[in-house]
């Protein structure tokens, strides 16, 4: 059975363009794969930032953790387990101030764990989450995807690749401020052409 992990990050709720696109992407995938299991992780309310307590928790063996370390590690482990279990990640990427939303960056920070999502070899880093596909719904008011002021899409593609996820597709509703209706319509048409 195909497992889809949907990551929501927009703070705009139902008005979110990236959420409209992830709705459509997930519908496209589930229509093509009846029985697919969808897990939703909505990060819009925020994600705890990693800190010294987090490092102490996740890199301490489970049997040696304190109660506080257990609590910290449990949240981070849940995020990691969702990604490991997924065949396809559908990620909402609204561009805020030319970059990723803070909550998406914090989610990535929780996932970036040596020995879990990557390892270092004599040939350099090696991603451990291979065989997965990611579809990213990028939305922005004025930032064109791939332009010199887009610090979001390249970073996300790099980090997914660093984790071993090389099959990454972007659906972009960028520069919405200039022609929102036509831009959204074009992005929706891209979704409809996605290989499921």
């Amino acid at each position: 059975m195909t497992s889809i992990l949907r990551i929501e990050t927009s703070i705009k709720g139902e008005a979110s363009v990236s959420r409209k696109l992830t709705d459509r992407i997930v519908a496209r995938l589930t229509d093509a794969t009846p029985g697919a299991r969808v897990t939703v992780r909505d990060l819009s309310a925020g994600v705890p930032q990693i800190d010294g307590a987090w490092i102490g928790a996740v890199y301490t063996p489970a049997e040696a953790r304190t109660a506080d370390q257990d609590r910290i590690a449990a949240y981070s482990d849940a995020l990691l387990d969702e990604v490991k279990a997924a065949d396809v990640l559908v990620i909402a990427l609204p561009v805020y101030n030319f970059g990723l939303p803070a909550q998406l960056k914090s989610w990535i920070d929780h996932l970036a764990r040596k020995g879990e999502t990557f390892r270092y070899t004599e040939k350099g880093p090696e991603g451990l989450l291979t065989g997965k596909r990611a579809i990213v719904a990028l939305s922005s008011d004025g930032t064109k995807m791939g332009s010199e002021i887009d610090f979001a899409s390249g970073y996300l593609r790099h980090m997914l690749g660093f984790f071993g996820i090389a099959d990454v597709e972007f659906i972009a509703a960028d520069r919405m401020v200039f022609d929102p209706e036509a831009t959204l319509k074009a992005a929706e048409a891209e979704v409809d052409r996605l290989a499921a």
Side-chain angles (χ1 to χ4, degrees):
M1 177 192 318
T2 300
S3 178
I4 299 166
L5 174 60
R6 177 178 177 172
I7 302 294
E8 292 298 339
T9 60
S10 176
I11 58 175
K12 293 183 178 179
E14 295 309 310
S16 163
V17 171
S18 62
R19 192 177 296 261
K20 286 179 175 70
L21 291 176
T22 55
D23 280 345
R24 196 174 189 104
I25 293 166
V26 169
R28 168 96 173 116
L29 296 174
T30 54
D31 285 350
T33 313
R37 186 183 47 175
V38 179
T39 301
V40 179
R41 174 63 73 165
D42 192 336
L43 307 175
S44 61
V47 175
Q49 294 185 5
I50 63 169
D51 57 14
W54 175 85
I55 289 173
V58 300
Y59 289 109
T60 296
E63 64 278 2
R65 289 177 184 154
T66 66
D68 277 348
Q69 287 177 325
D70 273 338
R71 179 185 48 78
I72 292 166
Y75 176 82
S76 193
D77 287 346
L79 299 180
L80 185 59
D81 289 345
E82 288 171 350
V83 174
K84 285 181 173 182
D87 301 302
V88 181
L89 284 73
V90 177
I91 303 172
L93 175 56
V95 176
Y96 294 166
N97 303 316
F98 313 105
L100 277 70
Q103 54 272 26
L104 184 56
K105 172 64 167 69
S106 290
W107 176 76
I108 290 169
D109 288 343
H110 278 273
L111 299 180
R113 288 166 58 179
K114 187 169 58 173
E116 296 283 355
T117 54
F118 70 94
R119 67 181 172 196
Y120 290 111
T121 71
E122 291 177 0
K123 296 179 182 178
E126 177 186 2
L128 301 176
L129 301 180
T130 58
K132 299 179 185 301
R133 176 186 186 195
I135 304 169
V136 180
L138 180 144
S139 64
S140 74
D141 279 344
T143 303
K144 181 168 178 52
M145 187 178 131
S147 70
E148 69 279 358
I149 60 170
D150 169 19
F151 302 106
S153 65
Y155 175 79
L156 183 56
R157 183 186 298 276
H158 172 79
M159 288 307 300
L160 291 171
F162 183 73
F163 297 153
I165 305 170
D167 183 0
V168 181
E169 302 166 77
F170 282 84
I171 303 291
D174 53 2
R175 306 186 80 212
M176 288 287 292
V177 73
F178 299 105
D179 192 347
E181 191 175 319
T183 302
L184 182 57
K185 213 169 260 190
E188 289 173 341
E190 274 190 73
V191 172
D192 295 343
R193 290 191 295 270
L194 270 176

